[in-house]
Amino acid sequence: MNGEFDLIDLIVTTLGTTATRDGVVVGPGDDAAVLALPPDHELVVSTDSLVADRHYPAGACADAIGYRSLAVATSDLAAMGAQPAYATVALTSPELAADWAKRYAKGLAQAAQAFGMAIVGGNLARGPETVTVTVFGHVPRSTAIIRSGARPGHTLYVTGALGGAGLALGDETLSECSLAALEPSSTDPASPLARYWKPQPRIAVGVDLRGVASAAIDISDGLSADLGHLCRASALDCDVDLARLPLCPGAEPAVAASAGDDYELAFTAPPELRDAVRDIAGRTGVAITPICTVRESTGAGVRWFRDGTAVNVAAGFHHF
């Protein structure tokens, strides 16, 4: 490799067709990408930075980092009800080796294929190891689901199960885990390691929730943190019984409530739409569990209970 542009060519070649999907008018290799959107749609954009030894173990397998980096960013689009379409990726590293870049691009391409996205550009720079992914999706005009739309009396739901990725943090093989080790033939796709390295953004659920959910947020920093964000945005309070939380096998309720990296959705919907929510669960094959009813705020915020007794739950992941 002779330098930055050779690495870029290697990455683009490794990405293959995920750099040239429908809608990519101008893809990688120019000053900027030119992208098409469906008529009467609005653009939804989100950016996530993952820092080595802060958001994933330093020295982890590059392909697993590639998959995870796109998945966690795409989860934000799912929470907004957006259809994922495009992404750009910026890699910063003290010494970006060609083999590492190729393996990263393979994991990234696998995620892009799974989520129906095109990787349309990015950047390389020398510095502390950091992966920054910007994702672009779209929604029909005025249908994006935001955090501030919940109303008193609405039901709060959680998709999937909580606490699985948190269990992976205690696994001494976490940093050694490649995507090949996470194939369904060799391990349970719902295992803690798979939940951590290959989170599945709830894209289909998010799209189906347009016009049903009144507010939504993805659970990235832990339910305790993210539910607090939703309640503050909607000026609501709620009481959550830990016994009602859907849990991954082996997860302890209070720990699962604060564990990050689940990338499930928490959302509210009017009680009269409970059948519509049930139908979405049936169509998508994703469990959706009602955990409480939200109420007008008196300043109490989110309170946690176990068997009727108030309990303290940790505040979730802090980025600073």
Side-chain angles (χ1 to χ4, degrees):
M1 287 290 154
N2 293 321
E4 174 188 359
F5 294 103
D6 287 335
L7 276 174
I8 291 172
D9 288 343
L10 174 64
I11 291 170
V12 172
T13 299
T14 304
L15 290 173
T17 58
T18 61
T20 58
R21 289 181 179 271
D22 291 344
V24 181
V25 181
V26 178
D30 221 302
D31 285 329
V34 180
L35 311 171
L37 291 176
D40 297 318
H41 278 61
E42 295 172 330
L43 186 65
V44 182
V45 182
S46 182
T47 299
D48 270 299
S49 288
L50 303 184
V51 181
D53 242 3
R54 179 63 174 163
H55 299 104
Y56 62 87
C61 294
D63 61 343
I65 299 171
Y67 194 106
R68 175 175 164 78
S69 63
L70 185 61
V72 302
T74 302
S75 182
D76 288 324
L77 298 183
M80 303 286 286
Q83 181 64 52
Y86 312 112
T88 61
V89 180
L91 299 177
T92 304
S93 175
E95 194 66 46
L96 188 59
D99 180 62
W100 192 98
K102 185 174 182 178
R103 287 184 287 118
Y104 174 86
K106 285 184 176 180
L108 183 70
Q110 184 175 328
Q113 290 167 353
F115 309 149
M117 303 176 74
I119 309 301
V120 297
N123 187 62
L124 302 178
R126 187 182 299 276
E129 185 177 317
T130 305
V131 178
T132 299
V133 178
T134 300
V135 289
F136 305 82
H138 50 78
V139 294
R141 194 177 305 279
S142 302
T143 64
I145 307 166
I146 58 177
R147 299 177 183 181
S148 58
R151 297 292 178 263
H154 287 192
T155 305
L156 177 69
Y157 297 88
V158 171
T159 65
L162 305 178
L167 292 173
L169 296 177
D171 191 320
E172 61 184 14
T173 69
L174 181 65
S175 63
E176 304 167 5
C177 196
S178 67
L179 290 185
L182 298 175
E183 291 300 320
S185 59
S186 58
T187 189
D188 178 0
S191 71
L193 288 173
R195 294 272 298 181
Y196 183 87
W197 286 118
K198 294 186 69 176
Q200 299 302 303
R202 300 304 189 183
I203 298 167
V205 175
V207 169
D208 275 6
L209 282 175
R210 297 174 194 157
V212 175
S214 52
I217 191 169
D218 84 315
I219 304 172
S220 55
D221 296 333
L223 180 63
S224 59
D226 294 315
L227 182 52
H229 299 324
L230 187 151
C231 285
R232 281 190 293 275
S234 290
L236 296 169
D237 294 341
C238 67
D239 295 341
V240 183
D241 188 332
L242 290 171
R244 300 191 67 177
L245 297 185
L247 301 176
C248 290
E252 196 280 322
V255 176
S258 63
D261 295 313
D262 282 313
Y263 299 101
E264 298 290 352
L265 300 182
F267 68 91
T268 55
E272 62 269 23
L273 294 181
R274 63 174 63 89
D275 288 343
V277 173
R278 188 179 301 115
D279 290 344
I280 291 170
R283 283 196 302 273
T284 62
V286 176
I288 300 177
T289 304
I291 62 171
C292 69
T293 300
V294 297
R295 64 179 186 278
E296 187 173 355
S297 179
T298 60
V302 182
R303 301 189 302 180
W304 300 89
F305 293 84
R306 189 198 305 263
D307 298 326
T309 301
V311 296
N312 291 322
V313 170
F317 181 79
H318 293 282
H319 292 267
F320 289 92

